[in-house]
Amino acid sequence: MAPTQDALYREFDLDLSWSERDLPERERTKHVHRLHPYLGKFVPQLVEALLARHLPRARNVLDPFAGSGTTLVQSLESGRYATGVDVAAFNCLLMQVKTAEYNLFTLERELRDALRRLKTFEANRPPRPTGYISQWFAPRAASELVFFRSLIGDYEHADVLRIVLARAARSARRTTHFDLDFPREPQTGEYWCHKHRKVCRPVDRAEHFLRRYALDTVARIHEFARVRGREREAQVLHGDVRELDLPGLFDGVVTSPPYPGLIDYHEQHRYAYELLGLDDRRDLELGAAERGVSAKAIRDYVDGIAAALSNVRRALRPLARVVIVVNDRRDLYPEILERAGLTIETRYQRHVNRRTGRRAGEFFEDIIVARAG
C-alpha cells in the first residue's frame, strides 16, 4: 500500500532551518556564489545537505532549472559531475563562468589589463548610448560601461568580463539603493533612502564598480579553484528543458523550479540582456510573474513543470532520486509528479529566515523527494 500524504509529510526539519547566527551571509555567499546577485537562488549549504542526505552515491547530478548554478557549483565542490539547464541566456552565462576551469594566471592578467585600459576612457570615450542604456544610466556611467564592453572581445576569458560588466551595470543603474531587484522606472533626482536612512542620489559613474568587481571576481574564482573536485566538470545547456534531448543518464536531481507568479527571471537581469545582446526567451519562462496566478496561469504552470520533469525522468537511471525545493502552498506537486511518472518518497519543510529589510518575515519551503520508476 502506498504511504498516505500524512505519512509522507514531516512538519519541519530544523537541521535545514538555519538562523542568521548559524549561517551568516559570508558563508551563504562563499567563493563564486557571489559573482553576481541573483534573486531567489538556493543557499549553497542547503544543496550540500540535500546531496549528502538524499544523493550520497550520485556521481552525475542534473539540475533542470539551474538558475544561477548553485547545484552545479556544490556538485563540483563535493566531487561530482553536474549538468544544468536553463532557458535564460544570462543564467547560462553566469553558470558557465562559475563552473569553468581557468588558467588563473592568465585570467588575472587579462582582468588587470582590462582595468588598465579602462584608465584610457577619456581619450577613447565612445559615442553617447541611446535607448535603454541612456534611460537607465547617467551619461558618464553609460559611456564607461559601453567602453568596457568594447574591450571584452580582446580577451580569452571574455565571458568573465561580461559577468563583471553585468554586475557593475546592476549597481550603476539610476535606481534607489533599496530597490535594486526590480526598479520600475529610472530615479534621476534625490530621494529618501530607506536603506541608508538619509537623502541619497542615484549613481552617476560605473568605473569604480568595474574595478571593484573585477578584482573580487578574480579572488572568488581563485577561492573556488582550491575547493572544487579534481577532474570534475559541469555542463551548461541553454534551452527549454521540456524539449531538450538531455545527454546521458543521471544519478539524481537537485533542483528548485520557479514558483508560480513570483519572479520574471529575464526581467531581473534586463540590463545584462541590453548591454550584452543576449537571446531573450522570456516567452518560455515557466511561472513568470507577469502571467500572474489566475486559474489559467496555474494550469499552464502545472502543465509546464510536469512536461519538464517527464522529460527529465527519461534521462535518469532507474530509481534515481529527484529532490525538489519549492514553496508548494497550492499543493500542486503531487499532481505534477504523478503526471511526470515520479513517485513521492517523502516530503518535509524547512523554515527560511528572510533576513533583510523589505523581505523580512516568515517563509517556508517544501522539500519533496521522489523516485523515477
Side-chain angles (χ1 to χ4, degrees):
M1 179 182 296
T4 66
Q5 193 64 27
D6 287 342
L8 291 170
Y9 193 88
R10 296 182 305 180
E11 186 174 2
F12 295 111
D13 190 319
L14 297 179
D15 290 340
L16 302 182
S17 300
W18 298 285
S19 68
E20 178 68 17
R21 181 188 302 174
D22 296 331
L23 194 59
E25 183 181 11
R26 67 178 180 275
E27 295 181 22
R28 303 193 306 269
T29 57
K30 62 181 181 176
H31 51 68
V32 294
H33 291 298
R34 180 48 79 80
L35 284 194
H36 193 287
Y38 188 94
L39 186 63
K41 66 182 179 181
F42 270 140
V43 174
Q45 288 76 14
L46 176 60
V47 176
E48 288 177 8
L50 296 177
L51 286 169
R53 178 181 297 184
H54 299 297
L55 300 175
R57 297 182 180 84
R59 295 185 69 253
N60 192 1
V61 177
L62 171 67
D63 187 345
F65 303 101
S68 66
T70 305
T71 295
L72 276 63
V73 171
Q74 291 311 124
S75 294
L76 291 175
E77 187 173 322
S78 62
R80 296 169 168 88
Y81 296 95
T83 297
V85 181
D86 208 281
V87 74
F90 179 77
N91 295 358
C92 291
L93 173 64
L94 181 57
M95 284 189 277
Q96 287 165 346
V97 170
K98 284 181 176 182
T99 60
E101 292 192 87
Y102 298 96
N103 179 317
L104 297 174
F105 175 81
T106 301
L107 173 65
E108 183 166 355
R109 177 175 56 78
E110 289 189 343
L111 284 172
R112 290 187 180 278
D113 186 67
L115 295 181
R116 178 190 60 77
R117 294 170 69 186
L118 187 58
K119 294 179 181 178
T120 69
F121 165 76
E122 290 292 356
N124 298 280
R125 187 188 288 250
R128 184 170 178 175
T130 59
Y132 176 93
I133 296 175
S134 65
Q135 180 184 13
W136 279 93
F137 298 93
R140 172 88 184 197
S143 294
E144 288 169 348
L145 292 168
V146 170
F147 177 70
F148 189 83
R149 182 181 65 184
S150 73
L151 307 177
I152 289 175
D154 295 342
Y155 298 103
E156 176 185 347
H157 298 99
D159 281 350
V160 179
L161 274 74
R162 290 185 177 99
I163 290 299
V164 171
L165 175 62
R167 188 176 174 190
R170 181 182 186 274
S171 296
R173 288 173 299 171
R174 284 172 157 168
T175 184
T176 59
H177 296 137
F178 55 83
D179 194 18
L180 287 172
D181 292 330
F182 292 107
R184 297 181 179 179
E185 58 186 20
Q187 177 74 37
T188 57
E190 292 184 346
Y191 60 93
W192 175 254
C193 181
H194 298 287
K195 179 179 180 180
H196 298 121
R197 314 299 289 177
K198 66 177 184 177
V199 174
C200 289
R201 293 187 58 83
V203 174
D204 60 2
R205 299 192 65 172
E207 180 181 3
H208 59 301
F209 291 124
L210 289 164
R211 294 188 180 281
R212 180 194 307 171
Y213 296 150
L215 297 177
D216 183 68
T217 294
V218 168
R220 289 181 178 279
I221 290 175
H222 270 271
E223 183 183 349
F224 182 50
R226 290 194 291 268
V227 299
R228 66 181 291 163
R230 293 184 178 181
E231 299 181 359
R232 296 295 184 264
E233 298 177 350
Q235 181 177 202
V236 177
L237 304 177
H238 180 208
D240 187 341
V241 71
R242 291 171 289 185
E243 300 177 352
L244 281 179
D245 183 13
L246 297 170
L249 285 176
F250 297 94
D251 301 318
V253 170
V254 175
T255 192
S256 183
Y259 297 2
L262 187 62
I263 297 174
D264 291 318
Y265 285 93
H266 283 76
E267 189 62 27
Q268 178 185 171
H269 304 117
R270 171 76 181 278
Y271 49 88
Y273 284 86
E274 296 286 347
L275 271 169
L276 300 175
L278 300 175
D279 182 16
D280 192 320
R281 302 184 187 181
R282 68 182 62 212
D283 57 311
L284 297 176
E285 276 189 24
L286 295 174
E290 69 174 5
R291 298 195 184 105
V293 290
S294 66
K296 181 182 184 306
I298 295 299
R299 181 48 48 192
D300 289 345
Y301 174 84
V302 169
D303 291 344
I305 300 293
L309 293 179
S310 180
N311 192 34
V312 165
R313 178 182 55 78
R314 290 189 281 270
L316 297 178
R317 297 187 186 279
L319 301 180
R321 282 194 174 116
V322 177
V323 183
I324 298 171
V325 180
V326 66
N327 178 4
D328 190 27
R329 63 186 180 88
R330 295 180 177 85
D331 201 30
L332 304 176
Y333 273 77
E335 177 189 345
I336 288 172
L337 293 169
E338 181 179 7
R339 288 175 55 180
L342 298 168
T343 302
I344 297 179
E345 184 178 83
T346 187
R347 64 182 290 171
Y348 49 96
Q349 282 191 324
R350 65 180 290 262
H351 178 218
V352 181
N353 292 291
R354 297 195 131 183
R355 302 168 176 85
T356 56
R358 298 179 67 179
R359 282 186 297 216
E362 296 294 310
F363 183 72
F364 301 88
E365 286 178 335
D366 297 277
I367 298 173
I368 303 172
V369 183
R371 278 193 184 271

